[in-house]
Amino acid sequence: MERPAWAPPGIDISVPSVSRIYDYYLGGSHNFEVDRQAARRAMEFMPGLPKIMQANRAFMRRAVRYAVAQGVTQFLDIGSGIPTFGNVHEIAQAASPDARVVYVDHDPVAVAHSQAVLAGNDHAGVVAADLRKPRDILAAPEVSRLLDLDRPVALLLVAVLHFLEDADDPYAAVAELRDALAPGSLLVLTHASYEGIPLSEEVAGGAVGVYRDIRNPLVMRSSGQIARFFDGFELIEPGVVSMPNWRPDGSEEPEDGEAPEDPYAFSGFGGVGRKA
C-alpha cells in the first residue's frame, strides 16, 4: 500500500482509524482505503451515517457561536479529529478574533493535519493526548500557553465519549476536566445513542459491530446516561436533545443542512451545560 505524502511517518495505514472514518463520512480526503472500507461496511447497516455526522458538525458550530455570544472565547476541543471546513477555531475566531482554541486528539494524522492547518495562527494549537488521561491534557504546554483556566472555557467533547467504554470510566474523566474549569465554563457534548435512529436496534447494532471489529468499540448510551455527563453543570435550554433541535438558527452552511425531513439527522443527542 503506497503511503500518501500527507501521512505522518510511523502510523500503520493498514489499520482503520475512527477519525479518518469520520473524515470520510464528511466528504474529506484524508482517509485510506481501509478507512473507507470500514465506513462502507457500517453504512450497509446504517446508510444515514454521513447525515448524522453532518448534524453533529452543525450542532458544534451553533454551540461555538453560542459560547462566544455568552462571552466564552476559550475552547478546549478534545477528540477534535481531522480538520475540515468550519472547524472550531474558524467559527470562534470569525465571531471573536481573539478567541483561543486548543485541539486535542490521539490520532497522529489528526494531530499532524491540525498542526498544518494552524501554522501561523498564534491563538490556536494542538495537543497529542487521550481523553482517558485528563491530567496529561491539562498539563500540556499548549494548554498553559493558550488557555487561562481561571477564566471560563468551553470544553468540547463532540462525538468522542461514545468511544470510551464503561471500563474507561468516562464519567470520571469528564468530572476531572470539569473540576479544572472555572465557574461559567461550558460543556459542549454530543453522543451516539440507539434512541432516535430510524432503524431497529438489531439492524443499527450491525454498524456498531463494525466499530467493534476494528477495535474501536462504539458505546451507545441512553439519553439518561448521556445527561449524567452534565453532573455539576446547569443544562442550557433546551437540554439534552437530538442535535438539530438544539437551538436551530438556520446558520448552517448549505452542505451541512440536516433537513428536518431526514430522520437520520435526529439520531443521537447533544447538549450544552454551564458550570456554576
Side-chain angles (χ1 to χ4, degrees):
M1 184 185 302
E2 185 177 351
R3 178 182 296 272
W6 51 262
I11 68 165
D12 188 346
I13 63 175
S14 68
V15 177
S17 153
V18 292
S19 65
R20 298 194 303 266
I21 291 171
Y22 188 86
D23 177 69
Y24 173 76
Y25 289 143
L26 290 174
S29 59
H30 294 103
N31 48 77
F32 306 127
E33 181 56 29
V34 67
D35 306 308
R36 296 188 284 273
Q37 288 174 356
R40 289 192 288 263
R41 286 202 308 274
M43 289 170 63
E44 289 175 6
F45 298 98
M46 201 182 298
L49 278 166
K51 183 59 65 176
I52 296 172
M53 306 312 165
Q54 291 165 13
N56 186 79
R57 294 286 296 183
F59 164 86
M60 177 273 287
R61 292 168 188 170
R62 295 197 305 277
V64 168
R65 293 186 187 105
Y66 171 83
V68 174
Q70 297 299 306
V72 179
T73 58
Q74 302 188 105
F75 296 85
L76 180 59
D77 184 1
I78 302 178
S80 50
I82 294 170
T84 59
F85 175 76
N87 256 27
V88 172
H89 73 282
E90 293 175 328
I91 301 301
Q93 291 175 354
S96 175
D98 291 330
R100 294 173 177 264
V101 179
V102 175
Y103 293 112
V104 180
D105 208 288
H106 63 76
D107 185 322
V109 173
V111 171
H113 278 284
S114 296
Q115 290 170 334
V117 168
L118 298 175
N121 188 329
D122 293 335
H123 287 171
V126 59
V127 172
D130 193 310
L131 175 55
R132 297 170 183 85
K133 298 180 178 179
R135 290 183 193 176
D136 290 353
I137 295 171
L138 295 168
E142 280 294 87
V143 171
S144 300
R145 181 178 75 85
L146 288 166
L147 305 181
D148 178 359
L149 297 184
D150 292 327
R151 294 175 46 241
V153 172
L155 170 63
L156 277 67
L157 299 175
V158 176
V160 63
L161 283 165
H162 46 234
F163 291 112
L164 269 63
E165 299 182 90
D166 291 343
D168 297 318
D169 203 352
Y171 295 104
V174 174
E176 186 169 347
L177 291 164
R178 176 201 65 210
D179 292 347
L181 300 179
S185 293
L186 301 176
L187 171 60
V188 177
L189 182 154
T190 67
H191 198 295
S193 177
Y194 283 121
E195 297 176 36
I197 295 178
L199 298 168
S200 70
E201 186 171 325
E202 181 181 7
V203 173
V208 174
V210 171
Y211 283 88
R212 183 175 60 249
D213 292 343
I214 65 171
R215 300 182 181 179
N216 283 283
L218 179 61
V219 182
M220 308 292 264
R221 295 187 171 98
S222 68
S223 55
Q225 291 171 318
I226 295 166
R228 277 186 55 204
F229 287 112
F230 288 97
D231 286 355
F233 294 88
E234 177 186 354
L235 276 169
I236 304 299
E237 288 294 332
V240 177
V241 295
S242 60
M243 292 174 289
N245 288 333
W246 195 86
R247 297 181 173 244
D249 61 8
S251 67
E252 289 78 37
E253 292 81 358
E255 64 268 27
D256 283 348
E258 70 278 19
E261 66 272 12
D262 190 316
Y264 278 102
F266 294 83
S267 305
F269 293 95
V272 177
R274 179 181 290 110
K275 182 178 176 179

